[in-house]
Amino acid sequence: MQNSTLQLQRRLKNRHIQLIALGGAIGTGLFLGSAHIIQSAGPSIILGYLIGGLIAFLMMRQLGEMIVHEPVTGSFSYFAFKYWGKFSGFLTGWNYWVLYILVAMTELTAIGKYINYWWPHIPSWLSVLIFFVTVTLANLANVKMYAESEFWLSLIKVLAIVAMIVFGVSLLITADASSTASVSNLWKHGGFFPNGVDGLFYMLAFMMFAFGGIELISMAAAETENPEKNIPRAVNQTVIRVFLFYICSLAVLLSLVPWNQLNLGDLDHSPFVMIFSQMGIAWAAHLLNFIILTASLSVCNSGMYANSRMLVGLAEQGNAPKLFTKVSKQGVPVTAVLCSALLIFGCVILNYWVPEKALSYLIYIVVAAAVLNWMMISLIHLKFRQAMKREGISTKFPAIFAPITNYFVLAFMLMMLYIMWTQGFMLSVLMLPVWILLLFVVFKSVNIKS
């Protein structure tokens, strides 16, 4: 059978790669997840996202060095397979696939709730079905259709955040003496660390998960025009994106209303919505609901794309059935897309039938899989660098201060596991070695011929 990497078409332009990267960096972690963090860390959340952004950038530079050197299908699973061994490729690939199956399921289910905000009489399952079919069709059409849909979904998020920052700054500039809006809100009400440094430290793990998905651009490497130019550009702009969309937006919004005056009792609502609502700007809730909806749709869209390409890569390694290497005339791995879509839809069905406690165990797997994913990228990069050194090869996009930064990222991830252990996520940490052992047993017991 012809190698599917040759069949996948390089049709992703620079603007597609840039917005796919933006889409990965801007998710519901910013719009929704920041509520719990503000309650615990106060304004120091700004510093926390700056630290998280630095770790994400270092990890992306490590991944970027590998994908620019070899822009292939399957991304870091391919590199794990090539430079570390077959089980490493199996572990990395299937872990990533399961991670995004569960993430896509969660985001797709959330869309039903966002639609109910406007039209509560519409059954959630109907909204989920409509958007599920839409995302699946976009991924089945061709890679350009996926790229265009993700381009516009991400563009909505980007423009909305920029507009909020500009609008927030204008409110700060025009605020009178009776207004609560002031930059001094960042340090007046209990200080920048109102709950001490510990208040920020124990929230770092939650902040890091907001950056999950930033590595999605690596999955598009095999279908990117001029990857040697476009991939480094997307990776290098990670810091700018994080600074603008996380740091600036939160700094402005926490200046508008003192953090301790925010009504954060319902952590299912966005602090962005709460801030503008408390300021008497009623339309903000509807605008933010639309933005959050597009954010969830964007993640689900990218999740299905990443999953299908990871299946192609796993099949090429011999770690998945060869039928997943089949590619249509339009350059789409149809079987891989349909397999991922079927399981994503099955998980949506489970949301209606599985008890709440059982679903929480799935979430534990997501948390553990995300930590494992990032740790594996740094470990694989160490193996990659050792191979390049042995062969005397100089790469075109070297990681920053490697291997020191590799050990720094790994140490930080271990610290995240410690935080999770102490903050009520002990089961997540315990499931990590269980999950690895399970994949090892499957790997050993199922003999998939190349």
Side-chain angles (χ1 to χ4, degrees), residues 259-382:
W259 75 274
N260 58 349
Q261 294 180 25
L262 281 172
N263 180 20
L264 294 174
D266 186 356
L267 298 179
D268 289 332
H269 289 160
S270 169
F272 288 66
V273 174
M274 298 175 194
I275 288 172
F276 285 114
S277 295
Q278 285 183 221
M279 296 186 72
I281 308 172
W283 52 265
H286 294 285
L287 174 62
L288 265 298
N289 192 63
F290 174 73
I291 295 167
I292 294 167
L293 189 152
T294 60
S296 290
L297 188 59
S298 169
V299 173
C300 184
N301 189 39
S302 292
M304 190 176 293
Y305 172 84
N307 274 327
S308 61
R309 271 53 180 185
M310 184 59 79
L311 275 182
V312 173
L314 285 166
E316 289 179 345
Q317 299 165 20
N319 282 326
K322 280 295 184 182
L323 61 91
F324 291 128
T325 62
K326 293 182 179 179
V327 176
S328 69
K329 294 180 180 179
Q330 289 74 35
V332 177
V334 176
T335 308
V337 171
L338 290 176
C339 178
S340 296
L342 180 63
L343 209 60
I344 289 171
F345 185 70
C347 289
V348 173
I349 298 297
L350 287 177
N351 275 279
Y352 296 96
W353 297 101
V354 176
E356 186 68 25
K357 188 175 182 180
L359 183 60
S360 68
Y361 289 120
L362 293 176
I363 297 173
Y364 288 138
I365 298 175
V366 172
V367 173
V371 172
L372 179 59
N373 181 45
W374 281 31
M375 292 183 74
M376 287 299 291
I377 289 174
S378 280
L379 288 170
I380 294 163
H381 181 254
L382 285 172

Side-chain angles (χ1 to χ4, degrees), residues 4 115 174 269 279 297 376 384 444:
S4 60
I115 294 296
T174 58
H269 289 160
M279 296 186 72
L297 188 59
M376 287 299 291
F384 169 83
K444 285 295 186 181

